Amino acid sequence: MARDRVRPPQGAVPVPGGSRVRPWLGAVGAAAGLVVVAAPLSAQEPQRDVGERIFVAQCARCHGIGGTGGEGPTLQGRRFRTVADEEAIVSVIQNGLGGMPGMWIGDTEARRVAAYVWSLARTEPEPVPGDAARGRALFTGKGACASCHIVAGQGAGLGPELTDVGARRAPGFLRRALVAPGDELPEGRLSPHASFLVVSATTVDGRRVEGVRVWEDAFMLQLRDGDGAYHALAKEALTSFERRFGASLMPDYAALLSEEEITDLVAYLAALRGKG
Amino acid sequence: MSRRRFVSPPAAFAAATVTLQSLHPVPAASQVPFERLVNAAAEPGSWLTYSGTYASHRYAALHGIHRGNVATLRPVWTYQVRTPGLVETTPLVADGVMYLTEPPSNVTALDAATGRVLWRWERPMPRDLRTIGFPRVNRGVAILGETLFVGTLDGWLVALDAGSGAVRWETHVADNALGHSLTLAPLAIDGKVVVGTSGGEAGIRGFVDAYDAETGALAWRFWTIPGPGEPGNDTWGGDSWEHGAGATWLTGSYDPELDLVYWGIGNPGPDWNGDVRPGDNLYTCSLVALDARTGELRWHFQFTPHDTHDWDANQIPVLVDAE
């Protein structure tokens, strides 16, 4: 992604329609797609930390409100692997890291967000209920999860890899992924369309194919079926094609597992934090 | 349902080709057991290892493109690598999937018929990455069973699930801070993955390593610079063997019947100036034949004793039966 490296001048906090801000800044900000926190500073509203407000506007999309995680890792109680101090977070915010893009944000604002993120990292995350050891037994036993998921190199790579899912997703998401998997798609990292969206299609010769979408563009649909086979389908050779939002290839664990078993399984998944 | 569509002949051909392809799903993952690698020459439509076959003939025995039709070639698809830089990958093609590497050490799987991405694996490089004397390239992956193997610039060997790109295991091969790096495509033999190292301009001590394909555990190491007491160490004056270099930066060849791995070895260190390393400097600028099970040296041939011209002997050995 090409990024304009010009940043707002130091100390210039973008305020919509603000007369104190240089007039061109608004235009530049708008052109670069900068999302501005528009919070009227009324006397009754408590003065929330600017860093947190910017975080909610720009970072929570991936990291979750309060840093609970999502497409990006959780930040609560986070043990950073590559960040040593608050100053290093500023660099990550502006330059990106791995799958995270650099944010178009000035130094002053980045420092405030970094302070907020640092405070999140130092909070203790709430303890996750359930027995992780029993959850592990369910993962490899009754749940048969390894038949579709890879953890630490073991298992089959049909669904999202779970090696560090506990570091990336809050327990609430993990529970929903078990009992209502179609509600919120996982947003994986392994391919351009790695959201594991279920699609189904019927070809001109009457063959019906269903699986998770791997690639879609104006001409082609690539999907991977439940056996792991990849199918390349030209759209002009299809008589029907449906993106099945809300569907999932996961078994119905709400029916297969008891409430206690689900809680234990969530505890196991939440403990999967990869190497860091 | 039928629709009459007027299409010009090339487009019709393209549509027909794509439709036919859509009738044949690709298997769950490319399954390339050792036997297929041994007989790679029997499936000219595949490219199962860096040099095509274990004998490294690099000959594509396909007949679809010939003098009669080469003038009518037209692009069917293009794929552009994501990271700018030198692209030195040799893609592997197995069972309808193309596996290639992109700078710095990333792996991409494409549907070979359409060029669409099936999955990507990306490894961020450390900021203090050292690549001394060579560009930041990767020459490709190896495949064995349902696993791909890739060497990384920061000195790791990584095994990936061929179907999804998830990491099976990672092994630290050598310390990048000392100048070690992996730019070569690994060589997969029966149950093992063989790699070498770059860094001949950084004063390393070179080696050829074999790792267990299932676990990533080191199976054997052949040091290209003999240590004290080992045959050939006396070809290095004083302690010059400690930084003798002898990098093994290109993929070697393999003879399954003799069970020998053949590997080329690079320049001695210091490069160019041999004053501090009197002697023949074995086994730099040599070809070695190693027992594939143990890594023991069976024989060597040194092309350039006491090299002072950077005359690496890493060229890929071509194995032929000759009278």
Side-chain angles (χ1 to χ4, degrees):
Chain A
M1 161 162 55
R3 296 213 71 98
D4 189 331
R5 303 315 287 173
V6 174
R7 301 195 181 283
Q10 281 235 23
V13 179
V15 174
S19 57
R20 287 171 293 168
V21 176
R22 284 149 219 176
W24 55 262
L25 185 60
V28 173
L34 178 67
V35 174
V36 173
V37 180
L41 299 177
S42 69
Q44 291 98 343
E45 185 165 327
Q47 294 271 357
R48 280 170 61 210
D49 177 55
V50 168
E52 182 181 356
R53 281 161 47 201
I54 297 175
F55 183 93
V56 167
Q58 296 214 42
C59 319
R61 179 237 181 266
C62 291
H63 287 285
I65 297 203
T68 53
E71 190 175 344
T74 62
L75 298 172
Q76 287 180 357
R78 178 148 180 87
R79 297 191 302 275
F80 291 108
R81 264 187 272 168
T82 54
V83 162
D85 52 26
E86 190 177 312
E87 190 59 34
I89 298 181
V90 175
S91 175
V92 172
I93 290 171
Q94 291 182 320
N95 300 311
L97 179 70
M100 170 177 158
M103 308 307 287
W104 202 88
I105 185 172
D107 290 341
T108 306
E109 293 74 37
R111 279 204 194 93
R112 296 197 186 172
V113 176
Y116 174 66
V117 169
W118 194 248
S119 73
L120 287 179
R122 284 176 311 197
T123 59
E124 277 301 311
E126 291 181 13
V128 180
D131 185 325
R134 283 207 302 261
R136 185 170 191 275
L138 286 163
F139 188 94
T140 53
K142 191 172 170 186
C145 312
S147 58
C148 292
H149 293 279
I150 289 178
V151 173
Q154 302 297 315
L158 295 172
E161 186 188 349
L162 301 179
T163 302
D164 60 350
V165 71
R168 290 186 289 116
R169 295 292 196 168
F173 176 89
L174 297 172
R175 169 171 285 270
R176 284 194 304 280
L178 287 172
V179 303
D183 283 4
E184 195 177 335
L185 294 177
E187 300 282 357
R189 296 172 293 186
L190 295 179
S191 84
H193 291 81
S195 59
F196 296 91
L197 173 68
V198 177
V199 293
S200 53
T202 306
T203 64
V204 289
D205 56 326
R207 197 165 55 98
R208 184 172 166 79
V209 189
E210 179 182 279
V212 291
R213 182 180 66 175
V214 171
W215 179 281
E216 180 186 352
D217 61 37
F219 308 100
M220 296 294 304
L221 172 70
Q222 311 254 149
L223 60 89
R224 198 170 185 211
D225 66 26
D227 297 321
Y230 285 101
H231 298 259
L233 304 167
K235 282 189 170 175
E236 62 184 356
L238 300 177
T239 58
S240 75
F241 162 53
E242 188 189 351
R243 299 178 197 86
R244 311 230 326 262
F245 294 99
S248 171
L249 295 187
M250 286 200 17
D252 184 5
Y253 285 114
L256 288 169
L257 301 175
S258 70
E259 186 58 37
E260 194 187 1
E261 286 172 327
I262 289 177
T263 301
D264 289 341
L265 200 41
V266 170
Y268 169 65
L269 295 172
L272 292 177
R273 300 193 145 240
K275 283 184 290 188
Chain B
M1 161 184 145
S2 68
R3 279 168 54 206
R4 290 186 63 91
R5 299 179 68 212
F6 176 77
V7 290
S8 58
F13 178 74
T17 306
V18 168
T19 306
L20 284 170
Q21 252 120 27
S22 74
L23 297 177
H24 300 286
V26 214
S30 301
Q31 282 144 14
V32 184
F34 174 64
E35 290 68 34
R36 262 183 93 180
L37 288 165
V38 172
N39 298 309
E43 41 179 308
S46 304
W47 198 266
L48 301 179
T49 186
Y50 176 65
S51 297
T53 59
Y54 280 142
S56 301
H57 287 193
R58 291 175 162 266
Y59 178 69
L62 296 168
H63 303 293
I65 298 173
H66 50 74
R67 277 181 291 183
N69 64 15
V70 66
T72 66
L73 286 178
R74 56 169 178 76
V76 176
W77 57 260
T78 60
Y79 170 77
Q80 185 173 42
V81 301
R82 294 179 97 195
T83 321
L86 290 178
V87 181
E88 295 194 5
T89 190
T90 292
L92 299 191
V93 177
D95 304 325
V97 182
M98 175 180 286
Y99 304 97
L100 62 137
T101 56
E102 308 183 19
S105 306
N106 302 333
V107 181
T108 305
L110 304 179
D111 177 73
T114 63
R116 267 65 172 186
V117 175
L118 297 178
W119 56 257
R120 277 200 184 96
W121 175 79
E122 294 184 349
R123 182 188 178 87
M125 285 293 137
R127 288 221 181 147
D128 55 355
L129 179 69
R130 285 190 163 165
T131 49
I132 300 166
F134 54 90
R136 297 191 170 184
V137 296
N138 188 287
R139 295 188 180 81
V141 297
I143 186 169
L144 180 67
E146 295 177 19
T147 308
L148 301 179
F149 304 93
V150 62
T152 71
L153 286 178
D154 59 339
W156 288 74
L157 177 62
V158 182
L160 303 175
D161 170 46
S164 68
V167 173
R168 290 293 188 190
W169 51 255
E170 300 179 304
T171 289
H172 192 208
V173 173
D175 194 356
N176 177 252
L178 297 178
H180 289 278
S181 190
L182 273 70
T183 59
L184 80 177
L187 180 73
I189 59 178
D190 193 9
K192 289 200 250 316
V193 183
V194 186
V195 294
T197 180
S198 299
E201 278 69 50
I204 63 165
R205 184 186 176 201
F207 54 81
V208 180
D209 274 1
Y211 292 88
D212 182 284
E214 287 290 313
T215 64
L218 180 67
W220 51 255
R221 168 168 288 185
F222 169 75
W223 291 106
T224 59
I225 314 297
E230 296 172 1
N233 180 258
D234 56 354
T235 64
W236 295 84
D239 292 330
S240 60
W241 66 271
E242 287 176 354
H243 298 285
T248 45
W249 51 272
L250 265 185
T251 315
S253 306
Y254 174 60
D255 187 323
E257 288 175 26
L258 298 176
D259 208 22
L260 289 177
V261 169
Y262 304 92
W263 218 272
I265 300 173
N267 59 273
D271 206 2
W272 306 104
N273 187 329
D275 291 354
V276 302
R277 45 172 174 85
D280 278 356
N281 305 142
L282 288 175
Y283 294 96
T284 62
C285 302
S286 303
L287 178 69
V288 294
L290 308 175
D291 183 314
R293 284 175 304 110
T294 62
E296 285 172 7
L297 178 68
R298 192 68 64 80
W299 58 257
H300 78 277
F301 181 85
Q302 187 176 40
F303 297 98
T304 314
H306 191 74
D307 168 52
T308 53
H309 290 77
D310 193 40
W311 284 343
D312 291 40
N314 297 79
Q315 295 78 10
I316 300 160
V318 178
L319 310 181
V320 296
D321 291 326
E323 295 297 306

